Amino acid sequence: MREPGTGSTGRAQEVTDAMADEKAAPSTLAGRIDALFRVVRRPSREQYSHEEVARACREATGDSFSATYLWQLRTGRRDNPTKRHLEALAQFFHVPVAYFFDDDQGAAVAKELELLGALRDAQVRSMALRAVGLSPEAVGTISDMIDVIARREREHGAADDIA
Amino acid sequence: MREPGTGSTGRAQEVTDAMADEKAAPSTLAGRIDALFRVVRRPSREQYSHEEVARACREATGDSFSATYLWQLRTGRRDNPTKRHLEALAQFFHVPVAYFFDDDQGAAVAKELELLGALRDAQVRSMALRAVGLSPEAVGTISDMIDVIARREREHGAADDIA
DNA sequence: GTGGGTCATGAACTAGAATGAATGAGCAAG
DNA sequence: CTTGCTCATTCATTCTAGTTCATGACCCAC
């Protein structure tokens, strides 16, 4: 009763899965919170009440969290909660905070970061960092040099595999 | 191997040092925002001012965003912004909103942030990607050139021609 | 020097996020 | 039917997120 989420492992996965086939990820904050209420339930499969969730958030974070306000968020009458409240909700429902945002921008950057993961080569990393702050002309010159060297290494068959 | 001998420490090293010193993995919201200001800069490599960022956020979202408040967030005098403001900041600085939270994803992004900042420059990014797969010797050669050019650009004017 | 631009900082204020207490609907005993 | 409980909903209030305005430092042009 006091810590409703504790006994569940991998609940967030349940959430994403069930959400995919149910409402296809609602686009409003209210819709997302409501989806959480419908999907994340007590062991008895009953929905949590607003007061229950609010109390759990209070006890987990030490800060205040009113059931009324949670209802307002869920029904869309309020749609601009603070960082504090978003953290508490994400923690209770076991979802990443990014769930509450439409993260097209975040997804793009995440993809970019993934691409950067390819740059395992420490030397290449350090090279990129050094190039920061150079003039565009200088970077262009270096790029040309890379092309030349890369072609030469390819023609001589000296290119070795990475990773 | 890639040390030019005399000028051992390059410009990028300054960046990494600055990040490692105080904000290697900033745990506070203020620290994270401050890190963004240091890493994400104008094409001229100057830091954005608070007014600049605030105005850009206003124009991008249509909502209000005051420079004073941004300063308060950056210096830690305010630490509980609303969803609206977090979205605007994330959009401007090209980071996922999760970056502002103590989250798994946020932590990962914070770790990669310095490299991301480096590679936000499209030219530098493409340069790095093309360097992947080159032999260590070739990468070392390129790195040496970067050091030399960076040094020359530092000693002469910033927008100096390199021919 | 003086005037005008940009900047970080601070104080005073406004707007709205968030709370608490009150209301009524619904349900299950007694 | 009534009592007692829990819940969603409403409303009035409090508190703080967020803004506006003012100040001083700094730099550059005149």
Side-chain angles (χ1 to χ4, degrees):
Chain A
M1 190 182 285
R2 52 242 97 186
E3 289 287 343
T6 41
S8 60
T9 59
R11 173 152 286 180
Q13 195 58 40
E14 284 182 32
V15 173
T16 44
D17 286 345
M19 226 110 77
D21 58 46
E22 190 161 345
K23 265 278 169 61
S27 57
T28 76
L29 178 67
R32 286 171 206 219
I33 293 178
D34 185 53
L36 287 177
F37 269 94
R38 281 186 280 110
V39 171
V40 180
R41 307 194 174 202
R42 283 188 282 207
S44 56
R45 302 306 299 163
E46 301 159 351
Q47 284 195 18
Y48 287 111
S49 71
H50 299 132
E51 179 56 44
E52 251 177 324
V53 176
R55 181 171 56 243
C57 288
R58 276 195 300 268
E59 291 172 358
T61 66
D63 290 315
S64 62
F65 202 121
S66 73
T68 300
Y69 185 55
L70 178 53
W71 168 79
Q72 289 173 335
L73 290 176
R74 184 182 180 181
T75 56
R77 310 191 89 134
R78 286 281 133 79
D79 63 335
N80 192 27
T82 59
K83 180 170 178 287
R84 231 188 67 212
H85 283 71
L86 291 171
E87 284 171 328
L89 284 177
Q91 181 179 346
F92 176 84
F93 286 115
H94 295 87
V95 292
V97 283
Y99 168 74
F100 295 116
F101 298 81
D102 27 350
D103 225 3
D104 52 344
Q105 190 64 48
V109 175
K111 275 284 188 283
E112 197 169 351
L113 285 177
E114 219 169 300
L115 177 69
L116 298 183
L119 303 182
R120 288 281 179 233
D121 190 328
Q123 276 197 96
V124 173
R125 290 171 78 110
S126 131
M127 188 196 77
L129 287 173
R130 287 180 193 207
V132 180
L134 291 184
S135 69
E137 292 83 2
V139 176
T141 301
I142 306 243
S143 282
D144 291 346
M145 289 182 194
I146 292 177
D147 287 341
V148 171
I149 294 179
R151 172 141 40 98
R152 194 188 317 168
E153 289 201 339
R154 247 181 287 117
E155 286 169 355
H156 290 221
D160 44 355
D161 196 14
I162 53 170
Chain B
M1 183 200 287
R2 75 202 75 74
E3 310 286 343
T6 55
S8 59
T9 322
R11 175 119 173 227
Q13 199 58 38
E14 287 179 26
V15 175
T16 45
D17 284 348
M19 299 284 296
D21 268 359
E22 307 178 23
K23 325 280 188 204
S27 57
T28 74
L29 178 68
R32 287 172 203 214
I33 293 179
D34 186 52
L36 287 178
F37 268 93
R38 292 200 222 168
V39 171
V40 180
R41 306 191 174 205
R42 282 189 284 203
S44 56
R45 308 307 303 165
E46 303 159 351
Q47 282 195 19
Y48 287 108
S49 71
H50 298 134
E51 178 56 44
E52 254 176 323
V53 176
R55 180 170 55 244
C57 288
R58 278 196 299 269
E59 290 171 359
T61 66
D63 290 314
S64 63
F65 202 122
S66 74
T68 300
Y69 184 55
L70 178 53
W71 166 76
Q72 288 171 338
L73 289 176
R74 184 183 182 181
T75 56
R77 303 181 177 227
R78 291 283 140 81
D79 64 336
N80 191 28
T82 58
K83 182 169 179 285
R84 229 189 70 212
H85 282 71
L86 291 171
E87 283 171 329
L89 284 177
Q91 181 179 348
F92 176 84
F93 285 115
H94 297 89
V95 292
V97 282
Y99 168 72
F100 297 116
F101 294 83
D102 284 332
D103 217 356
D104 306 337
Q105 189 182 354
V109 172
K111 205 163 58 181
E112 299 280 350
L113 178 62
E114 111 186 20
L115 187 59
L116 172 66
L119 301 183
R120 275 204 63 213
D121 185 327
Q123 270 194 104
V124 173
R125 174 170 49 235
S126 90
M127 185 194 78
L129 287 175
R130 265 178 295 155
V132 175
L134 292 185
S135 70
E137 292 79 12
V139 177
T141 302
I142 304 284
S143 285
D144 288 347
M145 279 181 219
I146 292 177
D147 284 339
V148 171
I149 294 177
R151 186 155 170 234
R152 194 187 316 169
E153 288 201 339
R154 248 181 291 117
E155 289 170 352
H156 306 119
D160 203 5
D161 198 357
I162 39 176

